[in-house]
Amino acid sequence: MDPEAWWRTAVVYQIYLRSFADGSGDGVGDIAGIRSRLPYLADLGVDALWINPWYPSGQVDGGYDVVDHRGVDPVFGTMADAEALLAEAHDRGLRVILDIVPNHTSDRHRWFRAALAAGPGSKERARYVFRPGRGGDGGQPPTNWRSVFGGPGWTRLPDGEWYLHLFHPGQPDLNWENPQVHEEFADTLRFWFCRGVDGFRVDVAHGLAKDPRYPDLAEGTAAATPPFFSGHPATDQEGVHEIYRAWRRIADGYSPRRVFVGEAWVRPLSRLARYVRPDELHTAFNFEFLRVEWDAAQIREVVDSTVRALGAVGAPPTWVLSNHDVVRHVTRYGRAAGHQNDRSGAVTTDLVLGARRARAAALLQLALPGSAYVYQGDELGLPEVEDLPTASLRDPVWERSGHSDRGRDGARVPLPWAGSVPPFGFGGCGSWLPAPSCWQPYTVEAQDGDPTSMLALYRAALRLRRSVPVPGDAPLSWLGAPDGVLSFTRWSGFGCLVNLGSGPVPLPAGATVMLTSGPLQGSLLPVDCAAWLRTS
């Protein structure tokens, strides 16, 4: 495989910066914290790091309201710290992917402040989506679009104009019909590429282009459906593809070539495949895999349709179990069907069951063809924190939903590193979100050296994934198996068996066990367990 095509099979570790490690002692994760934990990440066995935004920000949405794409927020460190991290990560063989946020800026961005000062019809406002209101006095929003976070998608200014924000009002949407927006982001890519950044994760990759007619949604869908589906006028429009073709040309001009992974919430998978055609983004997150129920037939269908759709354009699949925006999968897998993503705090969860399934899912994910993303804490088996005090909730979803949705903070609680009491070695003076007092068994310190721990399982799986000589695009071949069981090979000599059925199943005759997610019952693989097998 071309060494510059590392992204086709890489395991990428997602760092939610505020919650990974606190090097300064102020209770907020930072770049110094990442630098201090690089030995841990290298030992874990991942290939690259994806770091959530470290740019100067208004911090109304965890850093995704960017004030300056070419700086570092002082709460996280300095540009010198960022450059040192890049060098030290590369010295350890770890590539670094940053977030880029092209759909919107902070309302504190110099452009938006200039737009407010300049007034209606100005060239400054043309960088954003400003529209007159409807009704005799312009007092009605230009469209019935809703914010992803809840509430209206438009805010009216004192001068009467409205501006679009598909997220928080502090995140005004940019107008990608404006050439200055294209130029600004092209320059931003070059700025970081020249400093050694290996690529970008593209936030809201599906949302940059809007239907220029700005039509209303059909009655009955506007209030219920955020713009995370194909067919919405602000989602998956044809104009996004020319943006990514231009970005790809920039990335290909560097040596080694830089890469992109898109956050594109689109359906069906044939639409997602259009984002990863050979001249566009390199990969895109496969959220169908993240959302699928713990059911063998459904998982097999998602795997097959993913491999088929992306393979048609020559792109590898990208497998994701959790991230900073969804309920952690240990919790999801411990719930009844249909309640996986409930964030009300009122759903019954069996964490023992969830952890057992999460261990099996890890071996499934890491055995599939393509690349994989590990969200910080996956390797520790962290569950969602569902009982955070309401006074500590920071996610704008909490307020924007009228306190009906507790938001994403439960997946963002800082990592537990060591010790027996919070903040478990995260930092010197507490943590920006409180860790549960019962998290001592989840700490790195507690799991380090325990061969039965989740951490040991991830380390073993990642070590085997690197050591087994697998061709980069080795296909997946399904084998016959009982109902509720997934059995496949990737290449001659390697097989994966996952039991999602109702009872133990026998291992294939003549197979040698390389790794299991839980103890075997003699020669039987228990329910909710997975095994990697040497088959010849």
Side-chain angles (χ1 to χ4, degrees):
M1 185 174 70
D2 179 354
E4 291 198 16
W6 60 271
W7 47 273
R8 297 189 71 91
T9 57
V11 177
V12 183
Y13 187 93
Q14 180 191 351
I15 291 177
Y16 190 72
L17 183 53
R18 298 178 64 87
S19 300
F20 181 68
D22 173 17
S24 67
D26 64 357
V28 178
D30 48 35
I31 295 172
I34 300 176
R35 293 173 65 189
S36 73
R37 299 297 183 176
L38 285 175
Y40 168 80
L41 295 166
D43 182 62
L44 182 61
V46 297
D47 302 298
L49 313 176
W50 156 32
I51 304 172
N52 290 100
W54 62 26
Y55 316 112
S57 167
Q59 297 297 337
V60 300
D61 181 26
Y64 283 90
D65 49 315
V66 178
V67 172
D68 177 7
H69 267 101
R70 297 178 216 170
V72 174
D73 196 304
V75 74
F76 299 134
T78 65
M79 184 62 71
D81 293 330
E83 291 173 341
L85 170 62
L86 291 167
E88 292 164 9
H90 290 159
D91 286 345
R92 292 183 178 275
L94 296 168
R95 293 176 170 88
V96 178
I97 296 170
L98 299 185
D99 242 302
I100 193 165
V101 187
N103 180 72
H104 46 261
T105 70
S106 169
D107 61 355
R108 303 182 189 181
H109 192 284
R110 70 188 191 283
W111 275 7
F112 195 72
R113 290 187 169 183
L116 296 183
S122 64
K123 65 181 187 302
E124 288 83 3
R125 289 202 176 181
R127 297 167 177 151
Y128 293 91
V129 181
F130 282 89
R131 292 289 185 276
R134 295 186 293 191
D137 62 352
Q140 298 300 313
T143 73
N144 63 359
W145 300 359
R146 305 288 288 179
S147 162
V148 173
F149 292 160
W154 299 86
T155 288
R156 195 181 194 192
L157 297 174
D159 60 30
E161 277 207 319
W162 298 73
Y163 71 90
L164 178 68
H165 52 84
L166 291 177
F167 294 86
H168 190 275
Q171 296 168 289
D173 278 48
L174 287 162
N175 173 23
W176 276 87
E177 297 294 320
N178 189 315
Q180 290 185 2
V181 176
H182 290 258
E183 293 165 7
E184 176 70 10
F185 278 88
D187 288 345
T188 294
L189 296 178
R190 296 185 184 101
F191 177 89
W192 289 108
F193 287 159
C194 288
R195 281 157 179 78
V197 169
D198 298 284
F200 281 97
R201 175 261 193 187
V202 185
D203 185 58
V204 196
H206 55 275
L208 278 57
K210 278 73 172 176
D211 185 329
R213 299 170 299 169
Y214 285 82
D216 275 343
L217 289 171
E219 187 172 348
T221 64
T225 310
F228 277 170
F229 68 98
S230 296
H232 191 289
T235 292
D236 195 26
Q237 299 293 307
E238 192 63 29
V240 299
H241 299 289
E242 188 50 48
I243 296 169
Y244 300 137
R245 292 185 188 103
W247 286 15
R248 182 62 175 262
R249 291 191 291 270
I250 293 171
D252 286 350
Y254 287 81
S255 181
R257 295 185 294 273
R258 308 311 201 244
V259 303
F260 297 109
V261 55
E263 182 207 27
W265 291 84
V266 297
R267 284 177 169 172
L269 282 162
S270 58
R271 298 293 300 183
L272 181 67
R274 301 177 78 245
Y275 288 76
V276 290
R277 290 176 288 194
D279 60 346
E280 295 191 40
L281 304 178
H282 297 75
T283 59
F285 293 133
N286 177 11
F287 294 118
E288 298 301 312
F289 185 72
L290 183 151
R291 292 185 286 199
V292 72
E293 302 278 356
W294 186 251
D295 175 87
Q298 292 183 46
I299 291 173
R300 178 167 173 169
E301 170 56 29
V302 166
V303 170
D304 281 343
S305 57
T306 299
V307 171
R308 181 169 57 249
L310 300 187
V313 295
T318 296
W319 310 103
V320 183
L321 292 172
S322 284
N323 65 32
H324 65 293
D325 285 331
V326 300
V327 174
R328 283 189 176 273
H329 65 277
V330 166
T331 295
R332 297 200 318 269
Y333 290 152
R335 293 175 168 176
H339 296 281
Q340 276 78 357
N341 291 299
D342 189 295
R343 295 189 299 216
S344 68
V347 178
T348 300
T349 303
D350 182 342
L351 289 181
V352 173
L353 174 64
R356 186 164 66 245
R357 289 176 170 177
R359 292 173 68 93
L363 293 195
L364 169 62
Q365 175 195 27
L366 295 173
L368 291 170
S371 61
Y373 278 71
V374 176
Y375 177 44
Q376 63 180 47
D378 286 359
E379 80 280 14
L380 302 177
L382 294 186
E384 186 85 357
V385 181
E386 299 186 83
D387 58 354
L388 285 168
T390 56
S392 70
L393 296 177
R394 305 288 189 87
D395 188 355
V397 170
W398 171 241
E399 294 294 339
R400 296 280 292 178
S401 69
H403 297 175
S404 64
D405 185 334
R406 291 178 61 85
R408 299 160 293 175
D409 289 323
R412 299 173 176 184
V413 173
L415 287 194
W417 290 96
S420 59
V421 296
F424 299 111
F426 170 73
C429 65
S431 56
W432 71 281
L433 284 174
S437 59
C438 61
W439 265 20
Q440 188 275 333
Y442 292 108
T443 65
V444 173
E445 180 182 61
Q447 297 192 42
D448 197 18
D450 177 0
T452 68
S453 69
M454 186 76 83
L455 180 58
L457 178 69
Y458 267 86
R459 284 173 173 168
L462 291 169
R463 182 173 61 250
L464 281 171
R465 182 180 167 108
R466 281 188 168 184
S467 64
V468 175
V470 52
D473 291 318
L476 178 149
S477 298
W478 295 105
L479 304 176
D483 288 345
V485 177
L486 300 172
S487 181
F488 62 89
T489 60
R490 282 286 315 287
W491 62 94
S492 177
F494 174 83
C496 181
L497 188 69
V498 188
N499 183 5
L500 298 86
S502 58
V505 296
L507 298 173
T512 301
V513 175
M514 301 170 66
L515 183 64
T516 63
S517 64
L520 296 175
Q521 297 176 2
S523 61
L524 300 177
L525 183 68
V527 174
D528 295 325
C529 285
W532 286 2
L533 307 168
R534 184 174 289 111
T535 56
S536 62

